[in-house]
Amino acid sequence: MASVGWDLIVVLGGQTALLGPTELGVVVAVASYPMLASGVAWACLRQGEAAGARSWAAFSLIAARPVLALSLVLLASQVPGDISPRAPVYQDVTPSVICAARDLLHGSDPYRTPEVRCLSSLNLSIALATPLQAGPFRDLATYPTLKQARAVARSSIEQRFATAAFPVFGYPPLSFLWMLPVAMGSRGNWALWTLVWAAAWLVLAGRLAGRWWPGLTLIFLLQWGVGGVLGDAAQGNAEFFAIALLALAALTLASPRRSAVALGLAVATSQIAWLVVPGYLVLSRHSRDRWRRLLWLGGTVLVATVPWMIAYPAGPLAILKLIMQPTYAKGIGVVALSAVVPLLPLLPKPVYFAATGAVELVLLTLGARMERWAILAVVLAPAALWFSWRSELKFLGLLPLLAGAAAVGVERRGVRADRPGGDRSRWRAAAPAGALLKRVAGWW
């Protein structure tokens, strides 16, 4: 139910072609997300099994099979349109990464390419660009109109498209390396490439899930909309790789090496993975193999990023600036009640930052004391951005995906712990792993 609930939030928030943003829809979407996150947290933390939980879990797996088959048919019917060269592009991440990959092939520094120049080279609209409250927009309190954005883009041509009003490329190096084989192709080639990887990822995730494969695969398939992992794949968006690797890191918690390497690769692909790292570190604290995990995680990140940072000295600063730049308020979190629907006054940005940080700090503090809260620190880390200045779909939409992957990963780790020499006591302290999975599965 959590994954279906998220899809309804996306629709009500006016983030799809089905329904434009309405005042009532946005309010319901904003208010529904904390309820969704609370339900997932309750399912994870509740001790003991309610009567009939086992039979309900079995029923949910049986019911998932026909729904899964129907979803596969419906999604397969959309693939031809997604891989068409004329398919529209909805996010600026997709062209930015493609331009960075082309820069690499042409021997240029990707971290010096303005977003405006990238969009111009691909004949894409400036409407895709992320405007910053800087340069010509410094004194503009509200989100720039398309007319204003076009005027700034035209005026930047004389400066080789350099303008403070729009960012330069700032994603970690694996983002463009993933897309290198199809960088010189068309929009259809980008989407076909990521969709092939997505199919392989679904098969692998299903195998790792064992008997829970129908439910988990269905959860992932429902992430086809805007901001979802498969929605990114259908766009040819390299952030698909980061999100897919995050899911694999949670699914393989039983293996310190595989889990840490998957997370390290995700961190080296997109800043979206950075949200999960603090919770993962706290979770590792409860395991005897924590140092092995940390070594694999740190080593993977260093190997995947340092050579490129040496080759492109502008990279480290550009990557940091991407998360610190003066953006406009956006999203379907609490800020939407000010930026989208004018029901509340828009507070200073530090207030939203402090609220988000406080929630994260509480999760990490509780996680350091109790392992079941450490698991929630991983699952709910993106959900805390509901309080933030930028509560975008790609952040909040990680909740059902991480919840499903972590539930399976905890069960797999519990099985491993039952073997002789396993770290049994610590991992059982949270709650019976099978019970945890069944309670969370009930929300799907």
Side-chain angles (χ1 to χ4, degrees):
M1 287 182 62
S3 198
V4 174
W6 166 249
D7 289 336
L8 290 175
I9 288 174
V10 173
V11 173
L12 289 172
Q15 304 296 317
T16 67
L18 297 176
L19 182 68
T22 64
E23 184 169 313
L24 178 60
V26 171
V27 171
V28 173
V30 172
S32 298
Y33 190 80
M35 298 171 60
L36 181 67
S38 299
V40 171
W42 174 84
C44 291
L45 293 176
R46 184 184 175 197
Q47 294 183 358
E49 283 191 78
R54 186 179 300 274
S55 59
W56 167 248
F59 173 77
S60 65
L61 288 180
I62 294 173
R65 294 172 185 262
V67 180
L68 175 62
L70 178 61
S71 300
L72 284 172
V73 172
L74 292 176
L75 297 182
S77 67
Q78 298 182 38
V79 170
D82 291 323
I83 62 176
S84 169
R86 294 180 295 277
V89 177
Y90 298 109
Q91 303 179 59
D92 62 342
V93 180
T94 301
S96 294
V97 171
I98 290 298
C99 287
R102 291 183 176 185
D103 285 339
L104 178 64
L105 293 174
H106 295 151
S108 303
D109 186 346
Y111 293 101
R112 298 187 184 278
T113 299
E115 187 173 54
V116 180
R117 186 172 73 192
C118 170
L119 294 175
S120 177
S121 68
L122 296 175
N123 296 317
L124 294 175
S125 172
I126 191 65
L128 292 174
T130 299
L132 304 178
Q133 199 169 10
F137 297 149
R138 183 183 296 107
D139 299 322
L140 189 63
T142 58
Y143 212 87
T145 64
L146 181 57
K147 181 178 180 180
Q148 291 170 323
R150 285 173 173 166
V152 171
R154 284 194 299 268
S155 65
S156 69
I157 295 177
E158 296 178 359
Q159 287 78 38
R160 297 184 178 181
F161 296 101
T163 173
F166 296 101
V168 297
F169 179 76
Y171 292 94
L174 281 194
S175 62
F176 53 83
L177 292 179
W178 285 115
M179 302 303 294
L180 207 59
V182 292
M184 302 308 296
S186 67
R187 157 70 174 79
N189 298 126
W190 313 338
L192 180 60
W193 171 253
T194 47
L195 284 172
V196 168
W197 279 99
W201 170 70
L202 285 172
V203 172
L204 177 58
R207 290 181 63 86
L208 290 172
R211 64 195 177 100
W212 298 98
W213 73 266
L216 186 71
T217 307
L218 180 58
I219 292 167
F220 290 173
L221 283 177
L222 289 172
Q223 296 285 302
W224 187 266
V226 180
V229 59
L230 294 183
D232 285 342
Q235 275 279 296
N237 186 344
E239 283 194 330
F240 154 76
F241 293 101
I243 300 173
L245 287 164
L246 280 179
L248 292 180
L251 280 168
T252 56
L253 281 173
S255 170
R257 176 172 55 86
R258 293 176 183 174
S259 180
V261 168
L263 180 57
L265 292 175
V267 168
T269 300
S270 173
Q271 287 92 337
I272 197 171
W274 298 9
L275 298 170
V276 178
V277 173
Y280 188 87
L281 296 179
V282 169
L283 179 60
S284 300
R285 179 179 180 274
H286 294 277
S287 178
R288 291 177 182 172
D289 55 26
R290 57 183 175 274
W291 293 114
R292 187 181 176 197
R293 288 179 185 272
L294 294 180
L295 286 173
W296 277 108
L297 175 59
T300 301
V301 173
L302 290 175
V303 170
T305 58
V306 169
W308 300 101
M309 297 301 94
I310 295 175
Y312 304 119
L317 181 59
I319 292 172
L320 290 177
K321 284 179 66 176
L322 189 70
I323 60 176
M324 299 172 63
Q325 57 195 6
T327 55
Y328 286 90
K330 184 181 180 182
I332 59 169
V334 67
V335 76
L337 300 180
S338 305
V340 180
V341 177
L343 296 180
L344 299 175
L346 186 63
L347 302 175
K349 187 185 298 186
V351 174
Y352 297 95
F353 176 79
T356 305
V359 174
E360 292 280 8
L361 184 60
V362 169
L363 286 173
L364 294 175
T365 301
L366 291 172
R369 297 175 61 86
M370 297 173 286
E371 185 176 2
R372 50 185 169 164
W373 275 98
I375 297 169
L376 279 182
V378 173
V379 174
L380 295 183
L385 292 178
W386 182 83
F387 295 93
S388 73
W389 181 260
R390 299 279 288 190
S391 51
E392 296 185 60
L393 292 175
K394 63 181 179 181
F395 301 137
L396 302 188
L398 289 175
L399 176 61
L401 178 137
L402 286 177
V408 173
V410 167
E411 182 180 74
R412 286 169 52 84
R413 182 61 175 87
V415 171
R416 177 68 61 86
D418 286 338
R419 297 177 183 176
D423 189 10
R424 186 182 310 173
S425 61
R426 286 184 176 274
W427 283 86
R428 282 184 174 177
L436 168 64
L437 181 61
K438 291 168 187 172
R439 288 187 219 106
V440 178
W443 277 83
W444 301 325

